[in-house]
Each structure stands twice: as structure tokens, then as C-alpha cells.
Amino acid sequence: MRAMASTAVSNKWLGRFLNGIERVGNRLPEPLILFMLMAALVPVASAIAAWAGWTQIHPATGETLTPVNLLEAEGIRRMLTEAVKVFAAFPPLGIVLVAMLGIGLAERSGFIAACMKSFTAIAPRRLIAPALVFAGILSSIAADAGYVVLIPMGAVLFASVGRHPVAGLCAGFAGVSGGFSANLVITSLDPLLAGFTDAAAKLYDPAYEVKPTANYYFMFVSTFLITLAGWWVTERVVEPRLGPWRGGGAETVEEQSPVERRALRAALAAGFLVVLGCLFLVVPGNAILRDPDPAAADPLKPFYDALIPLLCLVFAAAGLAYGWVIRNVRSGADLARMLGDTMAGMGSYIVLAFFAAQFVAWFQWSNLGLMIAVSGADLLRTAGIGSLPLLFAVILLTATVNLFIGSASAKWGLMAFVLVPMMMSLGYTPELAQAAYRVGDSCTNVITPLLPYFPVILAFARRYVPDMQIGTLISNMLPYSIAFSISWSLLLAAWFLLGLPLGPGAELLLPVEK
């Protein structure tokens, strides 16, 4: 594949570095073949680790961890008998397909293109990139919806104003995934992480309590920092590398006709009515999508679990209304054709998801990821370094482990029981340990092919650049990862030096006993 780099940066060290990353990455096999090979290597690696007698001690339970040899009879039996179950339970698969039913209908009816036309008529071209990164960061309120809604819409938005759609996709991906831990409000991630932090803190001090707002102040400010960093990277690094967009086509901006304006108003009204219906299911105290248990830690969990189907309904209603007025959808046959075409376009992703699901499951069953994380945490505990180097080391360790274990809660559920007591023994609060973890956990999301949604992003990019390879996508996302890592780490260092609270009542240092 031709290197996607412009002469504007080709002679600079960053341009040369990214071009090198791209060339190396593009020598990797196709994503499908890559996941097949990685899945095949996991059983071999598990057998070698088991034969070598590698062991670790689980920091929470004290039990001895050993690699699970997947080449033994029980392992082979499990890989074969649970293959279908693993594929069906692969989290991104259902989310992507259900969301794409509604989004695909809205796209093929013309509704999304009409929204983009209206947006570009009023939005300053200069502010599209920061707005997209900012919206991506806030999308974590809706769990994983940003991956399948905002990122592809970012590509369409950039193309609609004549900018490279892959740059819009990268900016959206950076906000959604790279800025996942930041937000202006408390999201479902906050109580989830705080629960592990609290349990780990009680190993050192049974009376200590960690609240869901433990990092709120820091994450609130981080939202604006990541937005600025993502904006700078998009316009100064990624877009120059991609060069001018010459694709044209459906995304070219044209003035809306009167019937298109009527259709857009009808679509927005239909979507608004569905949103009102969703609010009726959530807002009242006894609403259907609220937990009936008044003591539930997260009373809105049923709503979060239903969010993807609800988004599908909103987009579908808007798409149907637009298509009816514009006369693109006039019969059940039209509806069936649009939905069928949408799913047909997802065929390559479905095939890839099968092998990605097997790899993720086998890696988890083998215990290798868990043991790698424990080894890194143990090394950090025995390093004996100062305050700021310790914070940077926690961030680096987390960012590295994140390349192998994608789930934020799974990693922290393991690492918290090492890092939190260790940092408390040195006089640092659990809230500080959690903040450092959250920085590292977000920064490398965008460059690991093991992120469950990475194949989805690559599939979206191939709509515009059919021969896009993993190396090209990673080389364009790496500047975001570097910029986020440096700026976010420096923000945490400045926060520490200034002695600012991380959240309400969440200090940086434990009180000194008199």
C-alpha cells in the first residue's frame, strides 16, 4: 500500500518515524490472518509457559497463579466446544450489529448526509476537529456507543467539508477511546473502578473509603486538555500525513432542496419523539429502565444496558421518517433492502470478529495476561523510586499492560490489589493510584490491535481507503497516544506538585499519624 504521507512532514523526524511505523505495520498480514495467527500462538505460548514452571502470586487472593496449558486435553476440548459460544458472546459483535441496523437505515435513507449538510452550513470548519474530539470524550457517558456512532460520523463529517475522512475517523477514535477516562460528569466507569480501589485500600486500612467521585476534579480538567491535544494532533500531524481528500462522491456538500429540508425536520421530530419515550422509561422513580432495588449502587444500570437498542430505535425512526418524506422508503421491500445492504457491508467484520473473539478468550483462559500484569506490578513495587518517577512508572506500566488486556475494569481489578496498598505504604492515597492508572489505561487504547473495537475502526476506514492496513491506522493513531501520554502525565505531575485534590475530599497524600 502506498505510504499515506505528504511532503509537508516527510522530511521531519516525526514524519520519518511515523512512516517507519507505517511500513513495519503494513508488513503485517491482513487483520483476519493476524488474529488467526495470534489465536494459534496463544495455545503454544501457554504450553511453553506451563512447561517452564512459571508461577505468580495473585495480589488479591494470595493463590498461586500458573499458566493454563491449552494444548492439554481439557484445553483443546474447551477451545472446540466453546468456540460458538465465545463468538456469540464477543461484546463488540452484538453492539456493532444492533447499532448498525439503525445507523445503516439512517445512512442509506439520506438522513445522516442531510444532518452533515446542515451542520457544515453553520459550524466553523476550523472547530470541527476539536468538537469531534470533545464529543468523543463525552461519549463515554453512553458506554461503548461512541465507537459505532460517533467515529463513523466523524469520517462523514470531515468528508462533507472536503477534509480527509480518515482524519475525522482518527479524531473521533482518539476522543472516544484515547480520552475514555476523562469526562465532565461521573460515568459508569467511576463507581466501577472505585469499587476495586476501595476493596484494595481496605487491605491496608480497613477504615478507608474510596468514593465514585475520587478523580472527578482531575478528570473534568483532563477533558479540556485531551480535547486540545487531540485537536493539535489532528490538524498538525494526521491531516498533513493523509494529504488532501480527493474522494468526492456522496459526501460532497450541496445546498439542500426544500423537500430535503422538510424531510430533515420530519426526521428530527421522529427521533425527538423516540427520545421522549426513552426518557419516560428512565426518568420517573419507578421507570422500567431503572433498577427496582432502591439500594442499588447504580440505579441506571438497566438504562445503560439498553442504550444500544434505544440508539438503534432513535436512528431507525429518524431514518424512516426522512426516507418516507424524501421518497426513498416507500414500502417494506425498500426497508428490507436497506437493512440487508447494511448487514452485507458488515460481512468482513463478522468473519474477523470470529477469530478475534477466539484469541481474546483463549488469552484469558491461558492466564498469561493476568500473570504478565502481576509481574509488571511486582517489578514496580520493588523499584524504590521517588514520587513523580513512581507516578510516571505506574502510568507506563498500565499503558503497557493495556496493550495486552483491553478491559479497564479487568486490569484494575487485578492491578489495584498490588498498586493501591503499595502506594499507601509509601504515603500516597488510593485516589492518586487510581488517577495514575486511568491516565495509562486510556493512552494506548488507540494503538493496540487487541482493543475489541480496533477491527471495527479499520472496517470503517476501509470505506474510504479500501486498501488501508493495520500499520497505516496505527501510525496515524500513534501521535494521539504519544501526545495524550505526555500531556496527561504532565498534568498529573503538576496536580501533584500543586497539592490539588483529585475529587471531593480526595487528597493526594495520606494524613501523617502523630
Side-chain angles (χ1 to χ4, degrees):
M1 177 184 177
R2 63 182 181 87
M4 301 177 64
S6 70
T7 57
V9 295
S10 60
N11 294 325
K12 296 181 180 180
W13 70 268
L14 180 59
R16 292 196 297 269
F17 171 70
L18 295 177
N19 292 341
I21 293 293
E22 181 177 358
R23 285 192 296 271
V24 172
N26 285 347
R27 290 193 178 98
L28 295 173
E30 277 286 312
L32 172 62
I33 305 302
L34 185 62
F35 273 104
M36 292 174 65
L37 292 174
M38 290 193 300
L41 286 174
V42 168
V44 176
S46 70
I48 294 174
W51 293 333
W54 184 27
T55 62
Q56 287 289 338
I57 303 299
H58 196 292
T61 64
E63 67 175 312
T64 300
L65 296 174
T66 58
V68 176
N69 187 350
L70 296 180
L71 291 184
E72 292 183 343
E74 182 60 31
I76 295 174
R77 185 182 302 113
R78 187 179 188 186
M79 288 189 292
L80 293 176
T81 58
E82 297 190 24
V84 176
K85 183 191 302 182
V86 164
F87 176 50
F90 190 49
L93 181 64
I95 291 175
V96 170
L97 295 184
V98 172
M100 285 305 297
L101 286 173
I103 295 170
L105 179 58
E107 180 183 10
R108 294 178 186 278
S109 70
F111 169 65
I112 290 180
C115 288
M116 294 301 105
K117 288 181 182 180
S118 298
F119 181 84
T120 54
I122 61 175
R125 175 188 172 98
R126 178 72 176 169
L127 297 181
I128 290 177
L132 187 57
V133 177
F134 183 72
I137 296 171
L138 297 188
S139 72
S140 62
I141 299 171
D144 293 343
Y147 284 101
V148 291
V149 178
L150 185 73
I151 294 175
M153 289 184 68
V156 174
L157 177 60
F158 264 54
S160 69
V161 294
R163 299 172 69 172
H164 205 296
V166 174
L169 180 142
C170 291
F173 187 21
V176 171
S177 194
F180 182 73
S181 278
N183 215 300
L184 299 182
V185 298
I186 298 296
T187 69
S188 58
L189 180 66
D190 292 276
L192 185 63
L193 296 182
F196 288 115
T197 308
D198 183 75
K202 284 179 167 53
L203 295 178
Y204 185 86
D205 181 358
Y208 203 96
E209 182 180 359
V210 178
K211 299 179 181 178
T213 56
N215 298 145
Y216 177 65
Y217 297 159
F218 178 69
M219 291 305 162
F220 183 94
V221 175
S222 297
T223 302
F224 300 100
L225 173 73
I226 297 304
T227 299
L228 293 174
W231 181 11
W232 186 87
V233 170
T234 301
E235 298 201 349
R236 296 298 182 88
V237 181
V238 174
E239 278 198 279
R241 292 197 74 242
L242 293 169
W245 171 242
R246 306 185 187 281
E251 275 72 30
T252 301
V253 179
E254 299 175 356
E255 185 178 353
Q256 287 183 323
S257 66
V259 68
E260 287 178 325
R261 287 193 289 270
R262 289 198 304 272
L264 183 58
R265 288 194 293 268
L268 293 176
F272 180 70
L273 289 175
V274 176
V275 170
L276 284 181
C278 295
L279 291 176
F280 178 75
L281 296 175
V282 178
V283 174
N286 60 346
I288 294 174
L289 292 181
R290 295 180 72 94
D291 196 314
D293 183 2
D298 187 357
L300 293 180
K301 187 177 184 304
F303 167 67
Y304 294 137
D305 293 340
L307 194 55
I308 294 299
L310 293 178
L311 283 173
C312 176
L313 288 176
V314 171
F315 278 99
L320 282 173
Y322 186 89
W324 180 263
V325 176
I326 208 74
R327 304 186 71 84
N328 283 342
V329 182
R330 304 300 291 177
S331 66
D334 291 334
L335 176 62
R337 172 179 52 80
M338 289 183 178
L339 293 176
D341 290 344
T342 297
M343 288 298 101
M346 300 301 295
S348 60
Y349 168 70
I350 294 173
V351 175
L352 189 149
F354 174 80
F355 292 100
Q358 308 308 314
F359 165 74
V360 171
W362 297 354
F363 194 62
Q364 179 183 0
W365 296 346
S366 71
N367 263 0
L368 294 179
L370 188 67
M371 296 177 69
I372 290 171
V374 172
S375 298
D378 284 345
L379 180 64
L380 183 60
R381 183 177 55 188
T382 58
I385 53 182
S387 300
L388 292 183
L390 176 62
L391 291 179
F392 294 150
V394 170
I395 293 171
L396 179 60
L397 171 65
T398 306
T400 303
V401 173
N402 190 45
L403 297 173
F404 302 95
I405 305 176
S407 170
S409 58
K411 283 194 301 293
W412 191 231
L414 164 71
M415 297 175 66
F417 293 96
V418 175
L419 296 180
V420 170
M422 176 196 75
M423 293 189 69
M424 291 181 74
S425 68
L426 298 174
Y428 306 111
T429 62
E431 290 86 350
L432 180 59
Q434 180 179 286
Y437 167 80
R438 294 179 73 164
V439 171
D441 176 59
S442 292
C443 291
T444 51
N445 279 337
V446 295
I447 59 171
T448 171
L450 302 189
L451 179 75
Y453 287 101
F454 197 88
V456 182
I457 310 306
L458 187 59
F460 288 147
R462 284 181 171 177
R463 293 183 177 182
Y464 303 94
V465 184
D467 56 349
M468 172 78 77
Q469 300 294 324
I470 286 179
T472 301
L473 181 56
I474 290 179
S475 68
N476 283 306
M477 296 311 303
L478 184 59
Y480 293 103
S481 183
I482 295 173
F484 290 178
S485 298
I486 294 174
S487 59
W488 218 343
S489 298
L490 291 177
L491 176 64
L492 183 59
W495 208 281
F496 180 83
L497 293 175
L498 293 173
L500 302 175
L502 294 163
E507 300 299 331
L508 298 165
L509 302 175
L510 293 174
V512 178
E513 296 183 4
K514 295 183 179 180

